[in-house]
Coordinates of all heavy atoms in Angstrom, one line a residue:
F1 N 56.3 57.9 -53.4 CA 56.1 58.2 -54.8 C 56.6 59.7 -55.0 O 56.3 60.5 -54.2 CB 54.7 58.1 -55.2 CG 54.1 56.8 -55.0 CD1 53.3 56.5 -54.0 CD2 54.4 55.7 -55.9 CE1 52.7 55.2 -53.8 CE2 53.8 54.5 -55.8 CZ 53.0 54.2 -54.7
A2 N 57.3 59.9 -56.1 CA 57.7 61.2 -56.5 C 56.7 61.9 -57.4 O 56.4 63.1 -57.4 CB 59.1 61.2 -57.1
A3 N 56.1 61.0 -58.3 CA 55.2 61.6 -59.4 C 54.4 60.4 -59.9 O 54.7 59.3 -59.8 CB 56.0 62.3 -60.5
I4 N 53.3 60.8 -60.6 CA 52.5 59.8 -61.4 C 52.1 60.5 -62.7 O 51.9 61.7 -62.8 CB 51.3 59.4 -60.5 CG1 50.5 58.3 -61.2 CG2 50.3 60.6 -60.3 CD1 49.5 57.6 -60.4
A5 N 52.1 59.6 -63.7 CA 51.7 60.1 -65.1 C 50.3 59.5 -65.4 O 50.1 58.3 -65.2 CB 52.7 59.7 -66.1
I6 N 49.4 60.3 -65.9 CA 48.1 59.8 -66.2 C 47.9 60.2 -67.7 O 48.0 61.3 -68.1 CB 47.0 60.5 -65.4 CG1 47.2 60.1 -63.9 CG2 45.6 60.1 -65.8 CD1 46.4 60.9 -62.9
S7 N 47.5 59.2 -68.5 CA 47.3 59.4 -69.9 C 46.0 58.8 -70.4 O 45.5 57.9 -69.7 CB 48.5 58.9 -70.8 OG 48.5 57.5 -70.7
S8 N 45.5 59.3 -71.5 CA 44.3 58.7 -72.1 C 44.3 59.0 -73.6 O 45.2 59.6 -74.1 CB 43.0 59.3 -71.5 OG 42.8 60.6 -71.9
D9 N 43.3 58.5 -74.3 CA 43.2 58.8 -75.7 C 42.4 60.1 -76.0 O 42.0 60.4 -77.1 CB 42.6 57.6 -76.5 CG 41.2 57.2 -76.0 OD1 40.7 57.9 -75.0 OD2 40.6 56.3 -76.5
Q10 N 42.0 60.8 -74.9 CA 41.3 62.1 -75.0 C 42.2 63.1 -75.7 O 43.3 63.5 -75.2 CB 40.9 62.5 -73.7 CG 39.9 63.7 -73.6 CD 39.4 64.0 -72.3 OE1 39.1 63.0 -71.5 NE2 39.2 65.2 -71.9
E11 N 41.8 63.6 -76.9 CA 42.7 64.5 -77.6 C 42.6 66.0 -77.3 O 43.5 66.7 -77.6 CB 42.5 64.2 -79.1 CG 42.9 62.8 -79.5 CD 42.8 62.5 -81.0 OE1 42.6 63.5 -81.8 OE2 42.9 61.4 -81.4
T12 N 41.5 66.4 -76.8 CA 41.3 67.9 -76.6 C 41.9 68.4 -75.3 O 42.6 69.4 -75.3 CB 39.8 68.2 -76.7 OG1 39.1 67.5 -75.7 CG2 39.2 68.0 -78.1
E13 N 41.6 67.8 -74.2 CA 42.1 68.2 -72.9 C 42.7 67.0 -72.2 O 42.3 65.9 -72.4 CB 40.9 68.7 -72.1 CG 40.2 69.9 -72.6 CD 41.1 71.2 -72.5 OE1 41.9 71.3 -71.5 OE2 41.0 72.0 -73.4
P14 N 43.7 67.3 -71.4 CA 44.3 66.2 -70.6 C 43.3 65.6 -69.7 O 42.4 66.3 -69.2 CB 45.4 66.9 -69.8 CG 45.6 68.2 -70.4 CD 44.4 68.6 -71.1
C15 N 43.3 64.3 -69.5 CA 42.4 63.6 -68.6 C 42.9 63.8 -67.2 O 44.0 63.5 -66.9 CB 42.4 62.1 -69.0 SG 41.3 61.1 -68.0
T16 N 42.0 64.2 -66.3 CA 42.4 64.4 -64.9 C 41.8 63.2 -64.1 O 40.8 62.7 -64.5 CB 41.8 65.7 -64.3 OG1 40.4 65.7 -64.5 CG2 42.4 66.9 -65.1
P17 N 42.4 62.9 -63.0 CA 41.9 61.8 -62.2 C 40.6 62.2 -61.5 O 40.4 63.4 -61.2 CB 43.0 61.6 -61.1 CG 43.8 62.8 -61.1 CD 43.7 63.5 -62.4
C18 N 39.7 61.2 -61.3 CA 38.5 61.4 -60.6 C 38.7 61.7 -59.1 O 39.8 61.6 -58.6 CB 37.5 60.2 -60.8 SG 38.0 58.8 -59.8
G19 N 37.7 62.1 -58.4 CA 37.8 62.5 -57.0 C 38.3 61.3 -56.1 O 39.1 61.5 -55.2
V20 N 37.8 60.1 -56.4 CA 38.2 59.0 -55.6 C 39.7 58.7 -55.8 O 40.4 58.5 -54.9 CB 37.3 57.7 -56.0 CG1 37.9 56.5 -55.3 CG2 35.9 58.0 -55.6
C21 N 40.1 58.8 -57.1 CA 41.5 58.6 -57.4 C 42.4 59.7 -56.7 O 43.5 59.4 -56.2 CB 41.8 58.6 -58.9 SG 41.1 57.2 -59.7
R22 N 41.9 60.9 -56.7 CA 42.7 62.0 -56.1 C 42.8 61.7 -54.6 O 43.9 61.9 -54.0 CB 42.0 63.3 -56.3 CG 42.0 63.8 -57.7 CD 41.1 65.0 -57.9 NE 40.8 65.2 -59.4 CZ 40.5 66.3 -59.9 NH1 40.4 67.4 -59.2 NH2 40.3 66.4 -61.2
Q23 N 41.8 61.3 -54.0 CA 41.8 61.0 -52.5 C 42.7 59.8 -52.3 O 43.5 59.8 -51.3 CB 40.4 60.8 -51.9 CG 40.4 60.6 -50.4 CD 41.0 61.7 -49.7 OE1 40.6 62.9 -49.9 NE2 41.8 61.5 -48.7
F24 N 42.7 58.8 -53.1 CA 43.5 57.6 -52.9 C 45.0 58.1 -53.0 O 45.8 57.6 -52.2 CB 43.2 56.6 -54.0 CG 44.0 55.3 -53.9 CD1 43.7 54.4 -53.0 CD2 45.2 55.1 -54.7 CE1 44.5 53.2 -52.8 CE2 45.9 54.0 -54.6 CZ 45.6 53.0 -53.7
M25 N 45.4 58.9 -54.0 CA 46.8 59.4 -54.1 C 47.2 60.2 -52.9 O 48.3 60.1 -52.4 CB 46.9 60.2 -55.4 CG 46.8 59.3 -56.7 SD 47.2 60.2 -58.2 CE 45.7 61.2 -58.4
R26 N 46.2 60.9 -52.4 CA 46.5 61.8 -51.2 C 46.8 61.0 -50.0 O 47.6 61.4 -49.1 CB 45.3 62.7 -50.9 CG 45.3 63.5 -49.7 CD 46.5 64.5 -49.7 NE 46.5 65.3 -48.5 CZ 47.1 65.0 -47.4 NH1 47.8 63.9 -47.3 NH2 47.1 65.8 -46.4
E27 N 46.4 59.8 -49.9 CA 46.7 58.9 -48.8 C 48.2 58.6 -48.7 O 48.7 58.3 -47.7 CB 45.9 57.6 -48.8 CG 44.4 57.8 -48.7 CD 44.0 58.3 -47.3 OE1 44.6 58.0 -46.3 OE2 43.1 59.2 -47.3
F28 N 48.9 58.7 -49.9 CA 50.3 58.3 -50.0 C 51.2 59.6 -50.0 O 52.4 59.5 -49.7 CB 50.5 57.5 -51.2 CG 49.8 56.2 -51.1 CD1 48.6 55.9 -51.8 CD2 50.4 55.1 -50.4 CE1 48.0 54.7 -51.7 CE2 49.7 53.9 -50.3 CZ 48.5 53.7 -50.9
S29 N 50.7 60.7 -50.4 CA 51.5 61.9 -50.6 C 50.7 63.1 -50.6 O 49.7 63.2 -51.2 CB 52.3 61.8 -51.9 OG 53.1 62.9 -52.1
R30 N 51.2 64.1 -49.9 CA 50.5 65.4 -49.8 C 50.9 66.3 -51.1 O 50.1 67.0 -51.6 CB 50.9 66.2 -48.6 CG 50.3 67.5 -48.5 CD 50.7 68.3 -47.2 NE 49.5 69.1 -47.0 CZ 48.9 69.2 -45.8 NH1 49.2 68.4 -44.9 NH2 47.9 69.9 -45.7
D31 N 52.1 66.1 -51.5 CA 52.7 67.0 -52.6 C 53.1 66.2 -53.8 O 54.0 66.5 -54.5 CB 53.8 67.8 -52.1 CG 54.9 67.0 -51.5 OD1 54.8 65.8 -51.4 OD2 56.0 67.6 -51.1
L32 N 52.3 65.2 -54.2 CA 52.6 64.3 -55.3 C 52.5 65.2 -56.6 O 51.5 65.9 -56.8 CB 51.5 63.2 -55.4 CG 51.7 62.2 -56.5 CD1 53.0 61.4 -56.3 CD2 50.5 61.2 -56.5
R33 N 53.5 65.1 -57.4 CA 53.5 65.7 -58.8 C 52.7 64.8 -59.7 O 52.8 63.6 -59.7 CB 54.9 65.9 -59.3 CG 55.7 67.0 -58.5 CD 57.1 67.1 -59.0 NE 57.8 65.8 -58.7 CZ 58.8 65.4 -59.3 NH1 59.4 66.1 -60.3 NH2 59.4 64.2 -59.0
I34 N 51.9 65.4 -60.5 CA 51.0 64.7 -61.5 C 51.2 65.2 -62.9 O 51.2 66.4 -63.1 CB 49.5 64.9 -61.1 CG1 49.3 64.4 -59.6 CG2 48.6 64.1 -62.0 CD1 48.0 64.7 -59.1
L35 N 51.5 64.3 -63.8 CA 51.7 64.6 -65.2 C 50.5 64.1 -66.0 O 50.2 62.9 -66.0 CB 53.0 64.0 -65.7 CG 54.2 64.2 -64.9 CD1 55.4 63.4 -65.4 CD2 54.6 65.7 -64.9
L36 N 49.8 65.0 -66.6 CA 48.6 64.7 -67.4 C 49.0 64.7 -68.9 O 49.4 65.7 -69.4 CB 47.5 65.7 -67.2 CG 47.1 65.9 -65.7 CD1 46.1 67.0 -65.6 CD2 46.6 64.6 -65.1
V37 N 49.0 63.5 -69.5 CA 49.6 63.4 -70.9 C 48.5 63.1 -71.9 O 47.7 62.2 -71.7 CB 50.6 62.2 -70.8 CG1 51.3 62.1 -72.2 CG2 51.6 62.4 -69.7
R38 N 48.5 63.9 -73.0 CA 47.6 63.7 -74.1 C 48.3 62.8 -75.1 O 49.5 62.6 -75.1 CB 47.3 65.0 -74.8 CG 46.3 65.9 -74.0 CD 45.8 67.0 -74.8 NE 46.6 67.5 -75.9 CZ 46.5 68.7 -76.4 NH1 45.7 69.6 -76.0 NH2 47.3 69.1 -77.4
P39 N 47.5 62.2 -76.1 CA 48.1 61.3 -77.1 C 49.2 62.0 -78.0 O 50.1 61.4 -78.5 CB 46.9 60.9 -78.0 CG 45.7 61.1 -77.1 CD 46.1 62.2 -76.2
D40 N 49.0 63.3 -78.2 CA 50.0 64.0 -79.0 C 51.3 64.4 -78.3 O 52.2 65.0 -78.8 CB 49.4 65.3 -79.6 CG 49.0 66.3 -78.5 OD1 49.3 66.1 -77.3 OD2 48.4 67.4 -78.9
G41 N 51.4 63.9 -77.0 CA 52.6 64.1 -76.2 C 52.6 65.4 -75.4 O 53.6 65.6 -74.6
M42 N 51.6 66.2 -75.5 CA 51.5 67.4 -74.6 C 51.4 67.0 -73.2 O 50.6 66.1 -72.9 CB 50.3 68.3 -75.0 CG 50.3 69.7 -74.4 SD 49.6 69.8 -72.8 CE 47.9 69.4 -72.9
V43 N 52.1 67.6 -72.3 CA 52.1 67.2 -70.9 C 51.7 68.4 -70.1 O 52.3 69.5 -70.2 CB 53.5 66.7 -70.4 CG1 53.5 66.4 -68.9 CG2 53.9 65.5 -71.2
C44 N 50.7 68.3 -69.2 CA 50.3 69.3 -68.3 C 50.8 68.9 -66.9 O 50.5 67.8 -66.4 CB 48.8 69.4 -68.3 SG 48.2 70.6 -67.1
R45 N 51.6 69.7 -66.3 CA 52.1 69.4 -64.9 C 51.3 70.1 -63.9 O 51.0 71.3 -64.0 CB 53.6 69.9 -64.8 CG 54.5 69.1 -65.7 CD 55.9 69.7 -65.7 NE 56.8 68.8 -66.4 CZ 56.9 68.7 -67.7 NH1 56.1 69.4 -68.5 NH2 57.8 67.9 -68.3
T46 N 50.9 69.3 -62.9 CA 50.1 69.8 -61.8 C 50.5 69.0 -60.5 O 51.4 68.3 -60.5 CB 48.6 69.7 -62.1 OG1 47.8 70.4 -61.1 CG2 48.1 68.2 -62.2
D47 N 49.7 69.3 -59.4 CA 50.0 68.5 -58.2 C 48.7 68.3 -57.4 O 47.7 68.9 -57.8 CB 51.1 69.2 -57.4 CG 50.7 70.6 -57.0 OD1 49.5 70.9 -56.7 OD2 51.6 71.4 -56.9
L48 N 48.7 67.6 -56.4 CA 47.5 67.3 -55.6 C 47.0 68.5 -54.9 O 45.8 68.7 -54.7 CB 47.8 66.2 -54.6 CG 47.6 64.8 -55.1 CD1 48.0 63.8 -54.0 CD2 46.2 64.5 -55.6
E49 N 47.8 69.5 -54.6 CA 47.3 70.7 -53.9 C 46.4 71.5 -54.9 O 45.4 72.0 -54.5 CB 48.5 71.6 -53.5 CG 48.1 72.8 -52.8 CD 47.3 72.5 -51.5 OE1 47.6 71.6 -50.8 OE2 46.4 73.3 -51.1
Q50 N 46.7 71.4 -56.2 CA 45.9 72.1 -57.2 C 44.6 71.3 -57.5 O 43.5 71.9 -57.6 CB 46.7 72.3 -58.5 CG 47.7 73.4 -58.3 CD 48.5 73.6 -59.6 OE1 48.5 72.7 -60.5 NE2 49.2 74.7 -59.7
L51 N 44.7 70.0 -57.5 CA 43.6 69.2 -57.9 C 42.7 68.8 -56.7 O 41.5 68.5 -56.9 CB 44.1 67.9 -58.5 CG 44.8 68.0 -59.9 CD1 45.2 66.6 -60.4 CD2 43.8 68.6 -60.9
L52 N 43.2 68.9 -55.5 CA 42.5 68.5 -54.3 C 42.8 69.5 -53.1 O 43.4 69.1 -52.1 CB 42.8 67.1 -53.9 CG 41.8 66.4 -52.9 CD1 40.4 66.3 -53.4 CD2 42.4 65.0 -52.6
P53 N 42.5 70.8 -53.3 CA 42.8 71.7 -52.2 C 42.1 71.4 -50.9 O 41.0 70.9 -50.9 CB 42.4 73.1 -52.8 CG 41.3 72.7 -53.8 CD 41.7 71.4 -54.3
G54 N 42.8 71.7 -49.8 CA 42.1 71.5 -48.5 C 41.8 70.1 -48.2 O 40.9 69.8 -47.5
S55 N 42.7 69.2 -48.7 CA 42.4 67.7 -48.6 C 42.6 67.2 -47.2 O 43.2 67.8 -46.4 CB 43.3 67.0 -49.6 OG 44.6 67.1 -49.2
F56 N 42.0 66.0 -47.0 CA 42.1 65.3 -45.7 C 43.0 64.1 -46.0 O 42.9 63.4 -47.0 CB 40.7 64.7 -45.3 CG 40.7 63.9 -44.1 CD1 40.6 64.5 -42.8 CD2 40.9 62.6 -44.1 CE1 40.6 63.8 -41.7 CE2 40.9 61.8 -42.9 CZ 40.8 62.4 -41.7
G57 N 44.0 64.0 -45.2 CA 45.0 62.9 -45.3 C 45.4 62.4 -44.0 O 45.0 62.8 -42.9
P58 N 46.4 61.4 -44.0 CA 46.9 60.9 -42.7 C 47.4 61.9 -41.7 O 47.2 61.8 -40.5 CB 48.0 59.9 -43.2 CG 47.7 59.6 -44.6 CD 47.0 60.8 -45.1
D59 N 48.0 63.0 -42.2 CA 48.5 64.0 -41.3 C 47.4 64.8 -40.7 O 47.6 65.4 -39.6 CB 49.4 65.0 -42.1 CG 48.8 65.5 -43.3 OD1 48.2 64.8 -44.1 OD2 48.9 66.8 -43.5
S60 N 46.2 64.7 -41.2 CA 45.0 65.3 -40.5 C 44.7 64.7 -39.2 O 44.0 65.2 -38.4 CB 43.8 65.3 -41.5 OG 44.1 65.9 -42.7
L61 N 45.1 63.4 -39.0 CA 44.8 62.7 -37.8 C 45.9 62.7 -36.8 O 45.7 62.2 -35.7 CB 44.6 61.2 -38.2 CG 43.4 60.9 -39.1 CD1 43.4 59.5 -39.5 CD2 42.1 61.3 -38.5
E62 N 47.0 63.3 -37.1 CA 48.1 63.4 -36.1 C 47.7 64.0 -34.8 O 47.1 65.1 -34.8 CB 49.3 64.2 -36.7 CG 50.0 63.4 -37.8 CD 51.2 64.2 -38.4 OE1 51.5 65.2 -37.9 OE2 51.7 63.7 -39.4
G63 N 48.0 63.4 -33.7 CA 47.6 63.9 -32.4 C 46.2 63.7 -32.0 O 45.7 64.1 -31.0
R64 N 45.4 63.0 -32.9 CA 44.0 62.8 -32.6 C 43.6 61.4 -32.4 O 42.5 61.0 -32.1 CB 43.1 63.4 -33.7 CG 43.3 64.9 -33.9 CD 42.4 65.3 -35.0 NE 42.7 66.7 -35.3 CZ 41.8 67.7 -35.5 NH1 40.6 67.3 -35.5 NH2 42.2 68.9 -35.7
V65 N 44.6 60.5 -32.6 CA 44.3 59.1 -32.5 C 44.8 58.5 -31.2 O 45.8 58.9 -30.7 CB 44.9 58.3 -33.7 CG1 44.6 56.8 -33.5 CG2 44.3 58.8 -34.9

């Protein structure tokens, strides 16, 4: 995956993914770009490093299995 867009009908702030969703995305990519989209078209660009710093993923197991 190169990026994922997340949108909702929340008008004041962009909707961010919950912790479980963040960890699920981390299983597939360490540096996934995330676009948080509001109904008015405003887009906030972020990534998993900002939303889930110090995360645990498949690369955390390299050499340990």
